[in-house]
Amino acid sequence: MAGLTVLLVAALWLTWQFAWRRLANKTDNVLRPDLEYWVCMFIAGTLGTVIGDFCSHSLKLDDAGAAVALSPMVAVLLLAGWRGPLRVLPFYWLTVVAIRAAETAVADLVSGRNTLGLPMSTAVTGSLFVLLLLVWKESGTSQRPAVANS
């Protein structure tokens, strides 16, 4: 975990120095999904997975215990960051790592043999994802201003 943390910090620092800083003066202040972003996302996702598995197995919390321990941390980070801190790079990447850690524990719990199992959990979560996309699409179309016919 320490090695992945150092690697993530180094990757973030390097991308800030060479890629994102030149975009910092622009008004949109949005991370772009470029190569540097995906390298950082890969490292952050791997670190989060290691943390989730560490909590489940090494700390002997099992999947349910790790899910219960890690999920509220994600909720706190999202609530705290919603109005601004998520725009600060270290807070953003901390939140990404925390989400991935909690997701690892929850996914392991849901896909376990004693719960839904892998095929059923894949079908259920895939269906929920499609439903979420449909709801998101509909909420976006209802907020668009009406165009007047000329």
Side-chain angles (χ1 to χ4, degrees):
M1 281 189 291
L4 283 170
T5 302
V6 169
L7 188 62
L8 178 59
V9 169
L12 290 172
W13 184 81
L14 287 170
T15 55
W16 173 253
Q17 293 301 315
F18 298 111
W20 295 333
R21 182 185 285 178
R22 65 179 142 73
L23 300 172
N25 296 334
K26 302 209 186 249
T27 57
D28 59 354
N29 200 17
V30 174
L31 287 178
R32 288 177 176 57
D34 52 13
L35 176 64
E36 294 86 0
Y37 173 86
W38 287 111
V39 167
C40 292
M41 186 61 78
F42 176 76
I43 298 167
T46 304
L47 176 58
T49 300
V50 170
I51 291 171
D53 285 341
F54 177 81
C55 291
S56 292
H57 306 295
S58 297
L59 294 181
K60 302 203 185 313
L61 295 176
D62 71 48
D63 296 331
V68 168
L70 295 170
S71 295
M73 291 179 200
V74 171
V76 167
L77 285 169
L78 289 174
L79 288 173
W82 200 256
R83 298 277 181 205
L86 274 174
R87 295 182 184 268
V88 178
L89 282 176
F91 194 90
Y92 174 85
W93 289 106
L94 172 66
T95 305
V96 168
V97 170
I99 288 170
R100 185 65 181 142
E103 182 274 333
T104 297
V106 170
D108 288 349
L109 174 65
V110 172
S111 66
R113 286 186 206 144
N114 297 330
T115 51
L116 294 179
L118 186 57
M120 183 60 79
S121 69
T122 302
V124 168
T125 56
S127 299
L128 288 173
F129 179 66
V130 168
L131 180 65
L132 174 67
L133 289 177
L134 291 172
V135 168
W136 186 26
K137 178 182 181 273
E138 288 303 314
S139 70
T141 57
S142 65
Q143 294 176 3
R144 290 187 191 146
V147 177
N149 293 335
S150 317

Short mmCIF file of all heavy atoms in Angstrom, two decimals, residues 57-106:
data_model
loop_
_atom_site.label_atom_id
_atom_site.label_comp_id
_atom_site.label_asym_id
_atom_site.label_seq_id
_atom_site.Cartn_x
_atom_site.Cartn_y
_atom_site.Cartn_z
N HIS A 57 -9.40 -8.91 4.47
CA HIS A 57 -8.62 -10.12 4.77
C HIS A 57 -7.58 -9.93 5.87
O HIS A 57 -7.58 -10.67 6.85
CB HIS A 57 -7.97 -10.64 3.49
CG HIS A 57 -8.95 -10.84 2.38
ND1 HIS A 57 -9.96 -11.78 2.43
CD2 HIS A 57 -9.11 -10.21 1.19
CE1 HIS A 57 -10.69 -11.72 1.33
NE2 HIS A 57 -10.19 -10.77 0.55
N SER A 58 -6.72 -8.94 5.73
CA SER A 58 -5.64 -8.78 6.71
C SER A 58 -6.14 -8.26 8.04
O SER A 58 -5.65 -8.66 9.09
CB SER A 58 -4.56 -7.83 6.15
OG SER A 58 -3.98 -8.40 4.98
N LEU A 59 -7.10 -7.35 8.01
CA LEU A 59 -7.68 -6.87 9.27
C LEU A 59 -8.77 -7.80 9.78
O LEU A 59 -9.34 -7.56 10.85
CB LEU A 59 -8.25 -5.46 9.09
CG LEU A 59 -7.25 -4.35 8.81
CD1 LEU A 59 -7.96 -3.01 8.69
CD2 LEU A 59 -6.17 -4.28 9.89
N LYS A 60 -9.08 -8.83 9.00
CA LYS A 60 -10.07 -9.85 9.36
C LYS A 60 -11.46 -9.27 9.65
O LYS A 60 -12.18 -9.76 10.51
CB LYS A 60 -9.57 -10.68 10.54
CG LYS A 60 -8.23 -11.34 10.24
CD LYS A 60 -8.00 -12.55 11.09
CE LYS A 60 -6.64 -13.16 10.90
NZ LYS A 60 -6.14 -13.37 9.59
N LEU A 61 -11.82 -8.23 8.87
CA LEU A 61 -13.17 -7.68 9.00
C LEU A 61 -14.18 -8.45 8.18
O LEU A 61 -15.37 -8.25 8.34
CB LEU A 61 -13.17 -6.21 8.54
CG LEU A 61 -12.35 -5.22 9.35
CD1 LEU A 61 -12.39 -3.84 8.71
CD2 LEU A 61 -12.85 -5.16 10.79
N ASP A 62 -13.73 -9.29 7.30
CA ASP A 62 -14.49 -9.99 6.26
C ASP A 62 -15.14 -8.96 5.34
O ASP A 62 -15.04 -7.77 5.56
CB ASP A 62 -15.46 -11.04 6.80
CG ASP A 62 -16.68 -10.50 7.52
OD1 ASP A 62 -17.33 -9.60 6.98
OD2 ASP A 62 -16.97 -10.99 8.62
N ASP A 63 -15.78 -9.43 4.30
CA ASP A 63 -16.31 -8.51 3.29
C ASP A 63 -17.39 -7.59 3.85
O ASP A 63 -17.43 -6.40 3.55
CB ASP A 63 -16.85 -9.29 2.09
CG ASP A 63 -15.75 -10.05 1.37
OD1 ASP A 63 -14.59 -9.58 1.40
OD2 ASP A 63 -16.05 -11.10 0.76
N ALA A 64 -18.28 -8.14 4.68
CA ALA A 64 -19.36 -7.32 5.25
C ALA A 64 -18.80 -6.26 6.19
O ALA A 64 -19.20 -5.10 6.14
CB ALA A 64 -20.35 -8.21 5.99
N GLY A 65 -17.87 -6.64 7.04
CA GLY A 65 -17.28 -5.69 7.98
C GLY A 65 -16.52 -4.57 7.26
O GLY A 65 -16.61 -3.40 7.64
N ALA A 66 -15.78 -4.94 6.22
CA ALA A 66 -15.04 -3.94 5.45
C ALA A 66 -16.01 -3.00 4.72
O ALA A 66 -15.79 -1.79 4.66
CB ALA A 66 -14.09 -4.61 4.47
N ALA A 67 -17.08 -3.56 4.18
CA ALA A 67 -18.07 -2.72 3.49
C ALA A 67 -18.71 -1.74 4.46
O ALA A 67 -18.89 -0.56 4.13
CB ALA A 67 -19.14 -3.61 2.84
N VAL A 68 -19.04 -2.22 5.66
CA VAL A 68 -19.66 -1.36 6.67
C VAL A 68 -18.66 -0.30 7.16
O VAL A 68 -19.04 0.84 7.43
CB VAL A 68 -20.19 -2.21 7.85
CG1 VAL A 68 -20.57 -1.35 9.04
CG2 VAL A 68 -21.38 -3.03 7.38
N ALA A 69 -17.40 -0.65 7.25
CA ALA A 69 -16.39 0.30 7.72
C ALA A 69 -16.02 1.34 6.65
O ALA A 69 -15.83 2.52 6.97
CB ALA A 69 -15.13 -0.45 8.16
N LEU A 70 -15.92 0.92 5.40
CA LEU A 70 -15.42 1.81 4.35
C LEU A 70 -16.50 2.67 3.70
O LEU A 70 -16.22 3.80 3.29
CB LEU A 70 -14.70 0.99 3.28
CG LEU A 70 -13.42 0.29 3.74
CD1 LEU A 70 -12.92 -0.69 2.68
CD2 LEU A 70 -12.33 1.30 4.10
N SER A 71 -17.71 2.17 3.61
CA SER A 71 -18.77 2.93 2.92
C SER A 71 -19.11 4.26 3.58
O SER A 71 -19.27 5.26 2.88
CB SER A 71 -20.02 2.06 2.77
OG SER A 71 -19.74 0.96 1.92
N PRO A 72 -19.21 4.33 4.90
CA PRO A 72 -19.48 5.64 5.52
C PRO A 72 -18.35 6.65 5.26
O PRO A 72 -18.61 7.85 5.16
CB PRO A 72 -19.59 5.34 7.02
CG PRO A 72 -19.95 3.90 7.08
CD PRO A 72 -19.27 3.26 5.91
N MET A 73 -17.12 6.17 5.12
CA MET A 73 -16.01 7.08 4.82
C MET A 73 -16.22 7.73 3.45
O MET A 73 -15.96 8.92 3.27
CB MET A 73 -14.69 6.33 4.85
CG MET A 73 -14.27 5.89 6.22
SD MET A 73 -12.71 5.01 6.11
CE MET A 73 -12.74 4.11 7.63
N VAL A 74 -16.70 6.94 2.50
CA VAL A 74 -16.99 7.48 1.17
C VAL A 74 -18.11 8.52 1.27
O VAL A 74 -18.02 9.59 0.66
CB VAL A 74 -17.37 6.36 0.19
CG1 VAL A 74 -17.88 6.92 -1.13
CG2 VAL A 74 -16.19 5.44 -0.05
N ALA A 75 -19.15 8.21 2.02
CA ALA A 75 -20.26 9.15 2.18
C ALA A 75 -19.78 10.47 2.79
O ALA A 75 -20.16 11.55 2.32
CB ALA A 75 -21.36 8.53 3.05
N VAL A 76 -18.94 10.39 3.79
CA VAL A 76 -18.40 11.61 4.43
C VAL A 76 -17.57 12.41 3.42
O VAL A 76 -17.70 13.64 3.33
CB VAL A 76 -17.58 11.24 5.69
CG1 VAL A 76 -16.77 12.43 6.18
CG2 VAL A 76 -18.50 10.73 6.79
N LEU A 77 -16.71 11.73 2.67
CA LEU A 77 -15.88 12.43 1.68
C LEU A 77 -16.75 13.10 0.61
O LEU A 77 -16.48 14.24 0.22
CB LEU A 77 -14.88 11.47 1.03
CG LEU A 77 -13.69 11.08 1.90
CD1 LEU A 77 -12.92 9.93 1.24
CD2 LEU A 77 -12.78 12.26 2.13
N LEU A 78 -17.77 12.39 0.13
CA LEU A 78 -18.63 12.97 -0.89
C LEU A 78 -19.43 14.15 -0.35
O LEU A 78 -19.56 15.18 -1.02
CB LEU A 78 -19.56 11.92 -1.47
CG LEU A 78 -18.88 10.88 -2.37
CD1 LEU A 78 -19.87 9.80 -2.78
CD2 LEU A 78 -18.26 11.53 -3.60
N LEU A 79 -19.97 14.02 0.85
CA LEU A 79 -20.73 15.13 1.44
C LEU A 79 -19.83 16.32 1.72
O LEU A 79 -20.21 17.47 1.47
CB LEU A 79 -21.43 14.67 2.73
CG LEU A 79 -22.62 13.74 2.53
CD1 LEU A 79 -23.11 13.22 3.88
CD2 LEU A 79 -23.74 14.44 1.78
N ALA A 80 -18.64 16.07 2.23
CA ALA A 80 -17.71 17.16 2.50
C ALA A 80 -17.21 17.81 1.22
O ALA A 80 -16.99 19.02 1.17
CB ALA A 80 -16.53 16.64 3.32
N GLY A 81 -17.03 17.03 0.19
CA GLY A 81 -16.45 17.55 -1.03
C GLY A 81 -17.42 18.09 -2.03
O GLY A 81 -17.03 18.73 -3.01
N TRP A 82 -18.71 17.89 -1.81
CA TRP A 82 -19.71 18.23 -2.82
C TRP A 82 -19.71 19.70 -3.20
O TRP A 82 -19.89 20.05 -4.35
CB TRP A 82 -21.09 17.83 -2.30
CG TRP A 82 -22.07 17.70 -3.41
CD1 TRP A 82 -23.05 18.59 -3.74
CD2 TRP A 82 -22.15 16.64 -4.37
NE1 TRP A 82 -23.74 18.14 -4.82
CE2 TRP A 82 -23.20 16.93 -5.23
CE3 TRP A 82 -21.43 15.47 -4.56
CZ2 TRP A 82 -23.56 16.10 -6.28
CZ3 TRP A 82 -21.79 14.65 -5.59
CH2 TRP A 82 -22.84 14.97 -6.44
N ARG A 83 -19.49 20.57 -2.26
CA ARG A 83 -19.58 22.01 -2.52
C ARG A 83 -18.25 22.65 -2.89
O ARG A 83 -18.15 23.86 -2.92
CB ARG A 83 -20.15 22.73 -1.31
CG ARG A 83 -21.53 22.31 -0.97
CD ARG A 83 -22.53 23.05 -1.81
NE ARG A 83 -23.86 22.63 -1.43
CZ ARG A 83 -24.87 22.71 -2.23
NH1 ARG A 83 -24.73 23.20 -3.43
NH2 ARG A 83 -26.06 22.32 -1.85
N GLY A 84 -17.22 21.86 -3.14
CA GLY A 84 -15.99 22.50 -3.56
C GLY A 84 -14.71 21.70 -3.42
O GLY A 84 -13.90 21.68 -4.34
N PRO A 85 -14.47 21.07 -2.27
CA PRO A 85 -13.19 20.38 -2.11
C PRO A 85 -12.91 19.28 -3.13
O PRO A 85 -11.76 18.95 -3.37
CB PRO A 85 -13.27 19.79 -0.69
CG PRO A 85 -14.20 20.70 0.03
CD PRO A 85 -15.21 21.13 -1.01
N LEU A 86 -13.95 18.73 -3.77
CA LEU A 86 -13.70 17.73 -4.81
C LEU A 86 -12.97 18.31 -6.00
O LEU A 86 -12.39 17.59 -6.80
CB LEU A 86 -15.01 17.08 -5.27
CG LEU A 86 -15.49 15.90 -4.45
CD1 LEU A 86 -16.86 15.44 -4.92
CD2 LEU A 86 -14.51 14.76 -4.47
N ARG A 87 -12.96 19.64 -6.11
CA ARG A 87 -12.22 20.30 -7.18
C ARG A 87 -10.73 20.43 -6.86
O ARG A 87 -9.95 20.83 -7.71
CB ARG A 87 -12.81 21.66 -7.48
CG ARG A 87 -14.21 21.57 -8.03
CD ARG A 87 -14.74 22.94 -8.35
NE ARG A 87 -16.10 22.87 -8.80
CZ ARG A 87 -16.47 22.76 -10.07
NH1 ARG A 87 -15.56 22.72 -11.00
NH2 ARG A 87 -17.73 22.71 -10.40
N VAL A 88 -10.35 20.13 -5.62
CA VAL A 88 -8.95 20.16 -5.21
C VAL A 88 -8.37 18.77 -5.49
O VAL A 88 -8.90 17.77 -5.01
CB VAL A 88 -8.83 20.53 -3.72
CG1 VAL A 88 -7.38 20.51 -3.27
CG2 VAL A 88 -9.47 21.88 -3.46
N LEU A 89 -7.29 18.72 -6.28
CA LEU A 89 -6.78 17.43 -6.75
C LEU A 89 -6.52 16.40 -5.65
O LEU A 89 -6.96 15.26 -5.78
CB LEU A 89 -5.53 17.63 -7.59
CG LEU A 89 -5.78 18.10 -9.01
CD1 LEU A 89 -4.46 18.36 -9.72
CD2 LEU A 89 -6.60 17.10 -9.78
N PRO A 90 -5.83 16.73 -4.56
CA PRO A 90 -5.60 15.69 -3.54
C PRO A 90 -6.90 15.14 -2.95
O PRO A 90 -7.03 13.94 -2.74
CB PRO A 90 -4.76 16.40 -2.47
CG PRO A 90 -4.10 17.52 -3.20
CD PRO A 90 -5.08 17.95 -4.24
N PHE A 91 -7.87 16.00 -2.71
CA PHE A 91 -9.16 15.55 -2.18
C PHE A 91 -9.89 14.68 -3.20
O PHE A 91 -10.48 13.66 -2.84
CB PHE A 91 -10.02 16.76 -1.79
CG PHE A 91 -11.21 16.39 -0.95
CD1 PHE A 91 -11.11 16.36 0.43
CD2 PHE A 91 -12.43 16.07 -1.53
CE1 PHE A 91 -12.21 16.02 1.22
CE2 PHE A 91 -13.52 15.71 -0.76
CZ PHE A 91 -13.41 15.69 0.62
N TYR A 92 -9.85 15.08 -4.45
CA TYR A 92 -10.48 14.30 -5.51
C TYR A 92 -9.90 12.89 -5.56
O TYR A 92 -10.64 11.90 -5.57
CB TYR A 92 -10.26 15.01 -6.87
CG TYR A 92 -10.73 14.21 -8.05
CD1 TYR A 92 -12.06 14.27 -8.46
CD2 TYR A 92 -9.85 13.41 -8.78
CE1 TYR A 92 -12.50 13.54 -9.55
CE2 TYR A 92 -10.28 12.68 -9.88
CZ TYR A 92 -11.61 12.75 -10.26
OH TYR A 92 -12.04 12.02 -11.33
N TRP A 93 -8.57 12.78 -5.58
CA TRP A 93 -7.94 11.46 -5.71
C TRP A 93 -8.10 10.64 -4.43
O TRP A 93 -8.22 9.42 -4.49
CB TRP A 93 -6.49 11.60 -6.14
CG TRP A 93 -6.43 12.04 -7.57
CD1 TRP A 93 -6.11 13.28 -8.04
CD2 TRP A 93 -6.78 11.26 -8.72
NE1 TRP A 93 -6.22 13.31 -9.41
CE2 TRP A 93 -6.63 12.10 -9.85
CE3 TRP A 93 -7.19 9.96 -8.92
CZ2 TRP A 93 -6.88 11.65 -11.15
CZ3 TRP A 93 -7.44 9.51 -10.21
CH2 TRP A 93 -7.29 10.35 -11.30
N LEU A 94 -8.12 11.28 -3.27
CA LEU A 94 -8.42 10.57 -2.02
C LEU A 94 -9.82 9.96 -2.10
O LEU A 94 -10.03 8.81 -1.71
CB LEU A 94 -8.32 11.52 -0.82
CG LEU A 94 -8.79 10.95 0.52
CD1 LEU A 94 -7.87 9.81 0.97
CD2 LEU A 94 -8.86 12.03 1.57
N THR A 95 -10.77 10.70 -2.63
CA THR A 95 -12.13 10.21 -2.77
C THR A 95 -12.20 9.05 -3.76
O THR A 95 -12.90 8.06 -3.52
CB THR A 95 -13.07 11.36 -3.20
OG1 THR A 95 -12.93 12.44 -2.26
CG2 THR A 95 -14.51 10.91 -3.26
N VAL A 96 -11.46 9.14 -4.86
CA VAL A 96 -11.42 8.04 -5.83
C VAL A 96 -10.88 6.77 -5.16
O VAL A 96 -11.45 5.68 -5.32
CB VAL A 96 -10.57 8.42 -7.07
CG1 VAL A 96 -10.29 7.20 -7.94
CG2 VAL A 96 -11.26 9.50 -7.88
N VAL A 97 -9.81 6.90 -4.40
CA VAL A 97 -9.23 5.73 -3.71
C VAL A 97 -10.23 5.16 -2.71
O VAL A 97 -10.43 3.94 -2.63
CB VAL A 97 -7.90 6.11 -3.01
CG1 VAL A 97 -7.42 5.00 -2.09
CG2 VAL A 97 -6.83 6.44 -4.05
N ALA A 98 -10.90 6.03 -1.95
CA ALA A 98 -11.87 5.56 -0.95
C ALA A 98 -13.06 4.86 -1.61
O ALA A 98 -13.53 3.83 -1.12
CB ALA A 98 -12.35 6.74 -0.10
N ILE A 99 -13.54 5.41 -2.72
CA ILE A 99 -14.66 4.78 -3.44
C ILE A 99 -14.25 3.39 -3.91
O ILE A 99 -15.00 2.42 -3.77
CB ILE A 99 -15.13 5.66 -4.61
CG1 ILE A 99 -15.86 6.88 -4.09
CG2 ILE A 99 -16.01 4.87 -5.58
CD1 ILE A 99 -16.14 7.94 -5.14
N ARG A 100 -13.07 3.28 -4.45
CA ARG A 100 -12.60 1.98 -4.96
C ARG A 100 -12.42 0.98 -3.82
O ARG A 100 -12.72 -0.20 -3.99
CB ARG A 100 -11.30 2.18 -5.74
CG ARG A 100 -10.80 0.94 -6.39
CD ARG A 100 -11.76 0.45 -7.47
NE ARG A 100 -11.21 -0.76 -8.04
CZ ARG A 100 -11.91 -1.80 -8.40
NH1 ARG A 100 -13.21 -1.79 -8.31
NH2 ARG A 100 -11.33 -2.86 -8.89
N ALA A 101 -11.94 1.45 -2.68
CA ALA A 101 -11.77 0.54 -1.53
C ALA A 101 -13.12 0.02 -1.06
O ALA A 101 -13.30 -1.19 -0.84
CB ALA A 101 -11.04 1.27 -0.39
N ALA A 102 -14.08 0.92 -0.89
CA ALA A 102 -15.41 0.50 -0.45
C ALA A 102 -16.08 -0.38 -1.50
O ALA A 102 -16.72 -1.38 -1.17
CB ALA A 102 -16.28 1.72 -0.16
N GLU A 103 -15.92 -0.02 -2.77
CA GLU A 103 -16.51 -0.81 -3.85
C GLU A 103 -15.97 -2.23 -3.87
O GLU A 103 -16.71 -3.18 -4.12
CB GLU A 103 -16.26 -0.12 -5.19
CG GLU A 103 -16.86 -0.81 -6.38
CD GLU A 103 -15.97 -1.89 -6.97
OE1 GLU A 103 -14.74 -1.82 -6.83
OE2 GLU A 103 -16.53 -2.85 -7.56
N THR A 104 -14.69 -2.38 -3.59
CA THR A 104 -14.09 -3.72 -3.56
C THR A 104 -14.75 -4.58 -2.49
O THR A 104 -15.12 -5.73 -2.74
CB THR A 104 -12.57 -3.62 -3.31
OG1 THR A 104 -11.97 -2.92 -4.41
CG2 THR A 104 -11.93 -4.98 -3.17
N ALA A 105 -14.92 -4.01 -1.30
CA ALA A 105 -15.53 -4.77 -0.21
C ALA A 105 -16.99 -5.08 -0.51
O ALA A 105 -17.46 -6.21 -0.30
CB ALA A 105 -15.39 -3.99 1.10
N VAL A 106 -17.73 -4.10 -1.01
CA VAL A 106 -19.15 -4.32 -1.31
C VAL A 106 -19.31 -5.34 -2.43
O VAL A 106 -20.16 -6.24 -2.36
CB VAL A 106 -19.84 -2.98 -1.66
CG1 VAL A 106 -21.24 -3.21 -2.21
CG2 VAL A 106 -19.88 -2.07 -0.44
#
